Amino acid sequence: ALGKGSDLEKAFATAALVYNNYADPEGKLSKPETKSLLQSQFWHFIQGQENKPKYQEIISSLDEESENKIDFEDFMILLVSLALMSDLLQEIKNVKTTK
């Protein structure tokens, strides 16, 4: 669908496709499914964050027994929050690409 899209558009489309592949027919994820998705598909960003209080807060909220499900908007907020605190993000900022 975005064969001719920009890199940023393709990145966002990929995030949406991955989410949709894990989501239930209503387009939502349970908290355990969300945690599993993050651990399997976002591992390099969350690696090494285990001791950070904000990371622990996010992950513990996914461990709570609750019928509340995560929609795409909340998932993207989690994704951005985890990426912003990631050590990998700092490494990425130091890389310059040429086009």
Side-chain angles (χ1 to χ4, degrees):
L2 279 175
K4 294 182 179 182
S6 70
D7 290 345
L8 186 58
E9 289 169 327
K10 289 176 186 175
F12 191 84
T14 299
L17 286 170
V18 170
Y19 176 87
N20 286 337
N21 285 336
Y22 280 79
D24 65 18
E26 295 175 359
K28 296 187 178 186
L29 291 172
S30 70
K31 289 183 175 187
E33 289 168 330
T34 302
K35 184 177 178 180
S36 175
L37 170 57
L38 291 170
Q39 290 174 330
S40 67
Q41 295 288 322
F42 213 57
W43 171 247
H44 290 94
F45 276 91
I46 62 176
Q47 186 175 5
Q49 296 187 53
E50 296 83 3
N51 294 326
K52 294 180 180 178
K54 184 66 178 169
Y55 174 83
Q56 292 174 351
E57 180 184 324
I58 290 169
I59 294 303
S60 68
S61 74
L62 296 176
D63 288 332
E64 293 172 3
E65 289 296 325
S66 171
E67 292 299 314
N68 295 340
K69 292 193 172 188
I70 306 292
D71 62 15
F72 182 68
E73 180 180 330
D74 289 335
F75 176 75
M76 290 303 291
I77 291 168
L78 281 173
L79 209 59
V80 170
S81 298
L82 291 169
L84 288 173
M85 72 176 91
S86 174
D87 296 331
L88 181 60
L89 183 62
Q90 206 49 51
E91 290 178 36
I92 291 168
K93 286 180 179 181
N94 293 329
V95 174
K96 300 283 186 209
T97 58
T98 57
K99 289 211 171 190

